[in-house]
């Protein structure tokens, strides 16, 4: 029996279920939740968690995965594997074939990831909604790329810690530009969104610009968070990009097909998706919805000449 063979998720016990409910009640108190996750030394906690999560000792991995399942709403039923050598491996797990379906026609855009829609709507000017009563600049978020999307629509997806953490191409396209922004690592949960101004603009993030087959730009903005601070792309070495370039920008011409994996977070986080007119949020898409990668988020509206 190998170390990996020995590490598998245990079914929840009544004690664990009761503890999960107690923790949920405590963290439902916004001030407590915010204090617990943002008053910590965020960078130190993130570095420590990054190191600890990659330890491949069976006892350490088994214990961490058990704690993760107690604190987070974790669904491993569609994972490609049933056991992992470390907590990190469980975080960035792949899914079994067919677990997510991408079938959006060319006039629609799919959700790039699983997530909860925390904000969505039309982009009427430079600012969009972060949370009730708080807005932020898309120009600041994107480093000056926001103007192309004014008049279009946006969706913000929050990936919780227990969700599937990989993200995918929302449509057939070419990746033409990536820019990486070093930054903070505030939590991106509702208590933080309600309290921290311009949170997404302050956190570590990347802009990934896609060009659809008809030339329309679409921008994905993966945003890191506490215990994450690591966004990995399948088509670009982001660590090398940060290490070798003072201004971490990469110009590319990388084709992707709808549903193709583009990258992953090393814990839960956020993706802001910006689309220009004539894209609008699809019928039925609403703030608070839980979506899965492949679900349709945007429709292209065509106004025919009369």
């Amino acid at each position: 029996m190998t170390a990996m063979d020995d590490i598998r998720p245990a079914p929840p016990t009544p004690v664990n279920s009761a503890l999960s409910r107690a923790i949920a009640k405590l963290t439902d108190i916004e001030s407590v939740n915010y204090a617990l996750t943002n008053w910590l030394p965020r960078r130190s906690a993130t570095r420590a968690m990054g190191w600890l999560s990659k330890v491949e000792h069976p006892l350490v991995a088994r214990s961490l995965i058990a704690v993760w399942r107690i604190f987070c709403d974790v669904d491993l039923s569609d994972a490609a594997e049933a056991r992992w050598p470390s907590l990190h491996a469980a975080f960035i797990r792949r899914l079994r074939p067919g677990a997510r379906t991408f079938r959006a026609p060319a006039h629609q855009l799919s959700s790039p990831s699983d997530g909860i829609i925390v904000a969505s709507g039309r982009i009427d000017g430079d600012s969009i909604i972060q949370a009730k009563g708080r807005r932020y600049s898309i120009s600041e978020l994107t480093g000056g790329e926001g103007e192309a999307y004014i008049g279009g629509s946006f969706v913000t997806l929050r990936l919780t810690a227990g969700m599937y953490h990989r993200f995918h191409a929302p449509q057939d396209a070419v990746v033409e530009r990536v820019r990486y922004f070093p930054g903070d690592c505030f939590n991106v949960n509702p208590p933080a969104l309600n309290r921290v101004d311009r949170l997404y603009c302050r956190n570590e993030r990347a802009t990934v610009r896609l060009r659809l087959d008809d030339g329309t730009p679409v921008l994905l903005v993966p945003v890191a968070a506490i215990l994450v601070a690591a966004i990995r792309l399948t088509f670009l070495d982001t660590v090398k990009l940060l290490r070798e370039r003072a201004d971490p920008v990469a110009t590319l011409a990388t084709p992707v097909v709808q549903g193709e994996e583009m990258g992953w977070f090393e814990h839960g986080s956020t993706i802001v998706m910006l689309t220009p007119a004539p894209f609008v949020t699809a019928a039925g898409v609403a703030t608070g919805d839980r979506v899965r990668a492949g679900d349709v988020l945007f429709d292209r509206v065509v106004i025919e000449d009369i």
Side-chain angles (χ1 to χ4, degrees):
M1 179 178 289
T2 66
M4 179 181 284
D5 290 333
D6 194 41
I7 302 169
R8 67 186 70 198
T13 66
V15 173
N16 284 350
S17 297
L19 181 56
S20 296
R21 289 194 295 271
I23 291 169
K25 287 182 179 179
L26 181 63
T27 55
D28 276 346
I29 304 171
E30 279 208 1
S31 57
V32 174
N33 189 307
Y34 178 75
L36 288 174
T37 58
N38 290 284
W39 287 1
L40 296 169
R42 292 183 295 274
R43 277 290 172 191
S44 297
T46 298
R47 283 194 295 267
M49 186 62 188
W51 175 83
L52 190 61
S53 70
K54 293 175 183 175
V55 173
E56 295 192 358
H57 187 282
L59 181 60
V60 174
R62 190 182 303 113
S63 300
L64 289 176
I65 290 173
V67 170
W68 174 48
R69 299 192 74 190
I70 289 171
F71 276 84
C72 304
D73 181 17
V74 182
D75 180 7
L76 301 174
S77 62
D78 52 8
E81 299 174 337
R83 53 187 69 89
W84 300 273
S86 66
L87 176 60
H88 176 261
F91 276 159
I92 65 169
R93 64 194 179 278
R94 285 188 165 87
L95 302 183
R96 66 174 186 270
R100 300 292 183 272
T101 303
F102 288 80
R103 294 178 179 168
H107 68 277
Q108 294 180 327
L109 298 174
S110 299
S111 175
S113 69
D114 290 9
I116 299 169
I117 299 176
V118 296
S120 62
R122 180 177 164 84
I123 306 171
D124 289 319
D126 180 59
S127 71
I128 57 176
I129 297 168
Q130 172 177 294
K132 186 176 180 180
R134 293 185 187 273
R135 302 178 72 87
Y136 63 96
S137 162
I138 59 173
S139 178
E140 182 182 9
L141 176 76
T142 64
E145 289 190 69
E147 186 175 352
Y149 305 94
I150 294 175
S153 299
F154 79 99
V155 167
T156 304
L157 296 168
R158 176 181 169 232
L159 291 71
T160 66
M163 286 181 173
Y164 170 60
H165 296 149
R166 294 176 182 266
F167 53 94
H168 303 257
Q171 189 51 266
D172 297 349
V174 173
V175 181
E176 62 179 22
R177 188 176 189 267
V178 173
R179 182 176 180 184
Y180 211 97
F181 297 79
D184 210 320
C185 50
F186 284 101
N187 200 331
V188 292
N189 64 2
L193 293 175
N194 290 333
R195 287 168 169 77
V196 181
D197 286 330
R198 305 169 25 259
L199 189 154
Y200 300 136
C201 301
R202 297 165 69 173
N203 270 17
E204 183 169 336
R205 62 197 184 280
T207 55
V208 181
R209 188 169 72 212
L210 305 173
R211 188 73 59 176
L212 303 182
D213 290 345
D214 67 354
T216 302
V218 172
L219 198 67
L220 302 182
V221 187
V223 183
I226 189 168
L227 307 183
V228 189
I231 301 164
R232 299 290 181 252
L233 301 174
T234 57
F235 50 86
L236 180 67
D237 186 339
T238 52
V239 175
K240 183 178 180 182
L241 179 69
L242 286 168
R243 184 176 62 246
E244 295 183 354
R245 303 191 190 183
D247 184 16
V249 178
T251 300
L252 307 166
T254 305
V256 291
V257 297
Q258 184 182 180
E260 182 177 339
E261 184 181 308
M262 295 183 67
W264 66 90
F265 296 105
E266 301 201 338
H267 200 56
S269 200
T270 290
I271 294 178
V272 182
M273 189 170 176
L274 305 178
T275 64
F279 279 108
V280 298
T281 52
V285 170
T287 299
D289 287 352
R290 183 179 287 253
V291 300
R292 300 191 350 153
D295 291 350
V296 172
L297 290 184
F298 296 94
D299 266 318
R300 188 195 300 266
V301 175
V302 178
I303 302 176
E304 297 182 356
D305 293 334
I306 298 177

